[in-house]
Amino acid sequence: MRRVVCPGSFDPMTNGHLDIISRAAALYDEVVVAVLINITKKTLFTVDERIEMIEEVTKDYDNVRVDRFHGLTVDFCTEHGINAIVRGLRAVSDFEYEMQMAQMNYRLSSVETLFMSTNPQYSFLSSSLIKEVAKYGGDVGGLVPESIAGKLHSRLAEG
Ligand code: ADP
């Protein structure tokens, strides 16, 4: 089975993430969306909430499943019999860091990294920018899945 992982924070998932995941799902037998548990990073949504949101949004993709991990992505890959990581590349600014990570991951475990160019519709999108815009009442419609926009506004309203 050709299995690939899409790792990330997904705090929260945007339509840019969803675009990459759905395109990967068309290429691979199974796509594992792996949510990083990083206790040192302050996030708006808990790991459980993020997983639940991604599961809801991807429920129509039979070959997408959602999991969590901490530590090295390559260790997650080894444990789950995965030999490739898919990452979305938005702009040249993403390239330097992503290239370095890809080379390190290959060096550590011979896990390949495949870069997928972002749909230009979403190339300016990041979870942090979405949170910033939503915080000040900006319209995030069409930029995050509808179910997530609702949860984002409620969470921000809680202060
Ligand atoms: P990380 O903290 O690992 O960067 P993110 O949740 O921000 O986690 O991103 C996870 C993956 O989704 C990365 O491969 C990232 O490049 C990709 N990604 C983020 N935003 C977009 C976007 N707007 N379009 C396409 N891919 C994206």
Side-chain angles (χ1 to χ4, degrees):
M1 183 187 266
R2 289 174 316 141
R3 192 179 280 144
V4 76
V5 65
C6 289
S9 309
F10 306 103
D11 185 44
M13 176 191 235
T14 68
N15 282 343
H17 291 130
L18 185 58
D19 180 63
I20 296 289
I21 293 163
S22 61
R23 285 158 63 199
L27 296 172
Y28 284 85
D29 298 322
E30 185 176 59
V31 176
V32 182
V33 181
V35 179
L36 174 67
I37 305 167
N38 182 352
I39 48 166
T40 59
K41 199 171 160 187
K42 196 169 153 25
T43 55
L44 188 62
F45 294 101
T46 65
V47 171
D48 286 338
E49 288 170 333
R50 283 178 268 158
I51 289 178
E52 202 181 301
M53 288 188 277
I54 302 169
E55 279 175 344
E56 163 67 25
V57 167
T58 59
K59 63 178 189 295
D60 292 335
Y61 296 95
D62 292 340
N63 62 339
V64 174
R65 71 178 175 87
V66 191
D67 206 339
R68 69 189 67 207
F69 76 108
H70 56 82
L72 298 175
T73 310
V74 288
D75 288 342
F76 179 86
C77 291
T78 309
E79 281 157 27
H80 293 81
I82 297 172
N83 58 15
I85 298 169
V86 166
R87 298 283 293 177
L89 271 190
R90 282 165 291 196
V92 180
S93 50
D94 279 345
F95 183 77
E96 207 169 328
Y97 171 75
E98 293 291 343
M99 178 81 165
Q100 196 180 12
M101 280 304 299
Q103 289 169 335
M104 178 58 90
N105 286 335
Y106 189 78
R107 169 68 190 259
L108 289 172
S109 301
S110 301
V111 169
E112 297 284 2
T113 299
L114 306 166
F115 295 116
M116 208 173 257
S117 58
T118 299
N119 183 327
Q121 249 183 302
Y122 306 125
S123 59
F124 58 93
L125 267 188
S126 70
S127 299
S128 16
L129 188 54
I130 284 292
K131 284 182 279 193
E132 187 79 6
V133 169
K135 185 173 151 191
Y136 294 107
D139 181 13
V140 296
L143 303 178
V144 294
E146 230 169 89
S147 58
I148 292 184
K151 291 191 174 74
L152 184 59
H153 287 302
S154 325
R155 177 56 49 87
L156 291 167
E158 290 166 14

